[in-house]
Amino acid sequence: MALHANQPRALSFDAVAAQYAATRPDYPPALFDAVEELTGRPLAGADVLDCGAGTGIATRLLRERGARVVAMEPGAGMAAELRRAEPEVPLVRGEGNRLPFAAASFDVVTYAQAWHWTDPTLSTPEALRVLRPHGVLALWWNQADIRVPWVAAEEDRLAPFTRDFPTTVAELFAPFPVRVATREITWSRRITVEEHIRNLATHSHFVIMDPAERAELLGANRTALAQLFPDGELDEPYRCGLTAVQPITAK
């Protein structure tokens, strides 16, 4: 979301929206099981605001769990891709530091791969404002599992152009009257080397890079992976970190 971070970088995904939708990973079912466990209620029938919804990856999965989802996305290109993929979902252009919704409108507010684009001093009270009593703010990220040797080697090759996200952002909520719970889900998906490279290319640090430099860096990475995976396929491993935030008045 655009205000806390560099705005051109935050909105750079618009240029690669279709590729983002095609190559970015989903989220594992165990993540949504954990959200339900920590919220103490099923997603089915819940009113959910999916902030920074991007191309609608989490939006789709939340709907598959039976949630009534409103998607919010600041970027025109990403919003257009979401509209194409999920035409039935209400879509609002907006950002997390100033939510364009009335108080107590949602049971759950989610940020999938998006909270880092907000200013938590603004987006936290905004999320708490639009939550109903007993509501939950749920944040999560997929991040490459560098405990796997080939992933660690890739991180070294691509540094300093990669950006990791913390497993938990619980410490950001210390100033607020909330309680925080966390979970981590490890999972992987089987894809081709080329799909992996195309996924990497949708990350903002590569999107904003000089095209020649990006092609050289990702080309060298492709060559290294082709040597490791001569059949052209790999298991792309992830650690999905979930942070669930509830007002302390919730029972």
Side-chain angles (χ1 to χ4, degrees):
M1 311 296 281
L3 295 187
H4 184 54
N6 178 272
Q7 187 167 12
R9 179 164 174 166
L11 297 177
S12 65
F13 303 107
D14 285 337
V16 294
Q19 184 172 329
Y20 189 110
T23 63
R24 282 291 184 107
D26 282 356
Y27 302 100
L31 168 69
F32 300 99
D33 294 341
V35 171
E36 292 180 330
E37 174 196 344
L38 294 175
T39 60
R41 60 159 296 164
L43 285 166
D47 290 313
V48 177
L49 172 62
D50 187 21
C51 295
T55 62
I57 295 172
T59 302
R60 170 176 54 82
L61 296 171
L62 287 162
R63 290 187 73 211
E64 289 175 359
R65 297 291 289 228
R68 295 188 294 265
V69 185
V70 174
M72 187 185 74
E73 168 57 37
M78 297 288 269
E81 189 65 28
L82 190 155
R83 170 61 65 221
R84 185 198 64 77
E86 299 291 332
E88 302 303 317
V89 173
L91 173 60
V92 176
R93 297 288 302 284
E95 53 90 16
N97 296 338
R98 294 190 299 268
L99 292 175
F101 301 98
S105 295
F106 299 98
D107 301 304
V108 183
V109 173
T110 64
Y111 281 85
Q113 221 80 14
W115 181 255
H116 54 283
W117 297 120
T118 76
D119 178 348
T121 66
L122 300 174
S123 56
T124 301
E126 277 293 275
L128 297 177
R129 179 182 65 80
V130 303
L131 282 172
R132 292 172 181 150
H134 315 294
V136 175
L137 168 64
L139 326 170
W140 63 82
W141 288 268
N142 278 323
Q143 58 177 330
D145 192 344
I146 61 172
R147 298 170 299 185
V148 177
W150 76 260
V151 179
E154 178 180 73
E155 290 283 304
D156 290 341
R157 282 193 299 275
L158 299 180
F161 303 105
T162 56
R163 178 180 180 183
D164 291 327
F165 302 112
T167 301
T168 173
V169 290
E171 67 280 359
L172 295 177
F173 300 99
F176 300 97
V178 298
R179 62 171 179 263
V180 180
T182 63
R183 294 287 187 277
E184 182 178 283
I185 299 95
T186 57
W187 71 287
S188 66
R189 62 173 183 166
R190 186 75 173 173
I191 59 172
T192 67
V193 169
E194 190 58 35
E195 287 168 337
H196 175 71
I197 295 296
R198 285 175 54 78
N199 171 27
L200 290 175
T202 67
H203 289 255
S204 62
H205 38 267
F206 292 117
V207 175
I208 65 173
M209 189 180 291
D210 174 78
E213 183 180 8
R214 178 176 62 239
E216 180 179 359
L217 191 64
L218 292 179
N221 191 51
R222 180 186 289 106
T223 298
L225 292 177
Q227 294 173 347
L228 284 174
F229 305 104
D231 64 352
E233 293 189 343
L234 54 79
D235 288 315
E236 191 177 67
Y238 287 101
R239 301 169 70 180
C240 187
L242 167 66
T243 302
V245 182
Q246 294 177 291
I248 58 173
T249 54
K251 300 299 184 181

